[in-house]
């Protein structure tokens, strides 16, 4: 899970793992990890009499090995792209793939890649980038104090904007690197997949079309002041902002859980905002539990709108792409069921 290790293990034509006097070839270790995954599934079903609870310490130990296997998965994928397929990614894609927590091109990565120097979260990945990528050729490699780090991150952010304006979604807070402008990505912090993205490089919705590029945004960067100026379109004014965001359970567990209190508060706020945006109240059931047909449709539309707002349309996209034709009606039915639960 160390950044420089990933680059070295990926680019080397031949990889051999050494521990003391023992050695193991790359394919042998890959086979061992595959066997462990299969054997672990069998163990979970059969150990301790089949139905007995497993000791927490043993579960944590096996979970740690699975986490290490996920880190090796990065190297497996990258070696295949470099040596077999000969397809290296551009700078934008490589930085996202190796600096986001919990996401690696669709696969789950449990920990952030380690790097002692914050500059290496950019410089340590250049060896994996397509040699013909025009943005990577303009990266200036240098190391220094916090001011240098902030300067490097600012320059990289300006380059990434040429690839996609959605690079602004990576300017997440609170950051750990001091002196960064608000529009600059802090690669040293725990970055998450932006809301509204199904996976890396795959937004759920693109208002300007799939083929739109950042060049149409006509942005400029003041290097001295660290100021970004970008031309946009005024859509509306924000009337209210919610007070709660999704949070994870603060208790340490083997698997990450949702803080249901914070989630409930988010859902309540979304319901309130959608109600106001639709112009008032949503029809409620009468004493007999019945509704008029128009009221039912209005209530259904309200619930479905709430759900699509809560998850930025991710469920809608999943259902419409996975369900058989005609997908729209089936997807709305599934969304209604999901919202009601």
């Amino acid at each position: 899970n160390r950044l420089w290790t990933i680059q070295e293990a990926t680019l080397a034509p031949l990889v051999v793992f050494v521990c003391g006097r023992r050695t193991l070839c790359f394919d042998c270790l890959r086979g061992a990890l595959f066997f462990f995954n299969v054997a672990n599934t069998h163990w979970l079903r059969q150990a301790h009499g089949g139905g007995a609870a497993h000791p927490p310490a043993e579960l944590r130990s096996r979970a740690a090995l699975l986490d290490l296997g996920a880190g090796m998965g990065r190297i497996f994928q990258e070696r295949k792209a470099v040596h077999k397929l000969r397809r290296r990614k551009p700078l934008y894609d490589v930085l996202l793939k190796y600096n986001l927590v919990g996401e690696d091109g669709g696969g789950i990565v449990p920990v952030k890649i380690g790097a002692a120097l914050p500059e290496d979260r950019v410089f340590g990945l250049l060896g994996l980038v397509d040699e013909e990528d025009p943005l990577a050729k303009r990266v200036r490699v240098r190391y220094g104090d916090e001011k240098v780090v902030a300067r490097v991150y600012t320059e990289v952010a300006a380059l990434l904007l040429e690839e996609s304006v959605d690079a602004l979604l990576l300017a997440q807070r609170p950051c750990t690197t001091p002196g960064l402008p608000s529009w600059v990505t802090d690669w040293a912090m725990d970055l998450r997949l932006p809301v509204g993205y199904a996976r890396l490089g795959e937004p759920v919705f693109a208002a300007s079309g799939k083929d739109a590029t950042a060049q149409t945004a006509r942005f400029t960067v003041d290097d001295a002041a660290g100021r970004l100026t970008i031309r946009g379109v005024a859509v509306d004014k924000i009337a209210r902002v919610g007070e709660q965001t999704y949070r994870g359970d603060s208790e340490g567990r083997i698997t990450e859980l949702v803080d249901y209190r914070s989630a409930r508060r988010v859902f309540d706020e979304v319901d309130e905002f959608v109600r106001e945006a639709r112009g008032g109240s949503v029809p409620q059931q009468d004493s007999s539990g019945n509704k008029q047909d128009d009221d039912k449709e209005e209530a259904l539309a309200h619930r479905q709108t709430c759900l699509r707002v809560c998850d930025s349309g991710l469920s809608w996209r999943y259902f419409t792409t996975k369900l058989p034709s005609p997908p729209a009606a089936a997807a709305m039915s599934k969304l209604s069921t999901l919202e009601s639960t």
Side-chain angles (χ1 to χ4, degrees):
N1 287 317
R2 300 296 297 179
L3 191 147
W4 279 104
T5 302
I6 292 174
Q7 177 175 265
E8 293 168 353
T10 295
L11 299 179
L14 178 64
V15 177
V16 178
F17 296 91
V18 180
C19 182
R21 296 184 177 181
R22 299 185 178 184
T23 62
L24 196 64
C25 72
F26 180 83
D27 289 334
C28 294
L29 179 60
R30 183 176 182 180
L33 289 174
F34 173 76
F35 176 79
F36 175 78
N37 289 334
V38 174
N40 191 64
T41 301
H42 175 78
W43 174 82
L44 288 172
R45 294 176 177 174
Q46 303 297 328
H48 305 289
H54 301 296
E58 196 165 5
L59 289 172
R60 284 193 291 268
S61 176
R62 288 177 175 268
L65 284 175
L66 290 173
D67 289 348
L68 292 175
M72 288 298 299
R74 296 188 183 105
I75 298 177
F76 299 154
Q77 295 173 10
E78 207 65 44
R79 282 188 63 83
K80 180 179 180 180
V82 171
H83 297 286
K84 185 176 181 179
L85 302 178
R86 301 191 181 280
R87 298 175 184 169
R88 299 197 186 190
K89 296 181 178 294
L91 176 67
Y92 186 92
D93 292 345
V94 171
L95 289 180
L96 265 62
K97 180 178 182 180
Y98 288 98
N99 280 298
L100 265 63
V101 176
E103 179 72 22
D104 183 16
I108 298 301
V109 176
V111 294
K112 184 177 178 67
I113 294 177
L117 300 176
E119 300 98 321
D120 281 338
R121 297 202 173 276
V122 175
F123 302 152
L125 293 169
L126 293 178
L128 303 178
V129 176
D130 184 353
E131 295 179 355
E132 300 302 320
D133 181 64
L135 298 185
K137 293 180 179 180
R138 294 160 56 191
V139 174
R140 297 169 53 206
V141 179
R142 65 209 189 273
Y143 293 83
D145 56 16
E146 292 180 344
K147 292 183 178 180
V148 173
V149 175
R151 184 62 184 163
V152 168
Y153 282 4
T154 301
E155 292 176 0
V156 171
L159 290 175
L160 297 185
L161 283 171
E162 297 183 20
E163 178 71 21
S164 173
V165 178
D166 277 3
L168 293 175
L169 297 176
L170 300 172
Q172 302 171 14
R173 294 296 184 268
C175 60
T176 59
T177 301
L180 291 181
S182 61
W183 55 276
V184 173
T185 302
D186 182 9
W187 299 106
M189 66 175 288
D190 287 343
L191 294 171
R192 299 285 178 174
L193 188 70
V195 174
Y197 267 72
R199 60 180 61 204
L200 296 181
E202 189 177 333
V204 173
F205 179 75
S208 56
K210 295 182 179 180
D211 298 328
T213 64
Q215 295 177 357
T216 59
R218 299 183 183 179
F219 68 90
T220 58
V221 175
D222 184 337
D223 292 334
R227 181 182 297 111
L228 170 70
T229 303
I230 185 169
R231 192 176 77 170
V233 177
V235 177
D236 206 341
K237 292 183 178 180
I238 297 176
R240 294 179 60 190
V241 178
E243 299 177 358
Q244 185 66 62
T245 58
Y246 295 109
R247 294 184 303 192
D249 194 335
S250 58
E251 297 184 18
R253 303 176 186 270
I254 295 176
T255 57
E256 184 178 356
L257 299 178
V258 174
D259 183 340
Y260 288 100
R261 291 184 178 180
S262 68
R264 177 59 184 270
R265 178 57 180 160
V266 171
F267 296 148
D268 288 344
E269 287 187 337
V270 169
D271 180 83
E272 180 182 352
F273 292 171
V274 172
R275 190 186 305 272
E276 292 181 1
R278 295 179 65 88
S281 61
V282 175
Q284 304 294 322
Q285 291 181 336
D286 57 28
S287 58
S288 62
N290 297 320
K291 294 182 181 179
Q292 298 295 328
D293 290 342
D294 291 346
D295 291 348
K296 289 182 179 180
E297 292 182 2
E298 180 71 16
L300 177 61
H302 174 83
R303 293 198 306 269
Q304 292 167 346
T305 301
C306 288
L307 184 59
R308 293 180 68 173
V309 170
C310 285
D311 72 349
S312 302
L314 294 174
S315 296
W316 166 258
R317 173 168 179 159
Y318 176 82
F319 287 134
T320 53
T321 55
K322 298 297 183 181
L323 293 178
S325 180
M332 295 303 282
S333 176
K334 288 292 185 181
L335 282 173
S336 177
T337 302
L338 181 61
E339 194 279 337
S340 64
T341 57

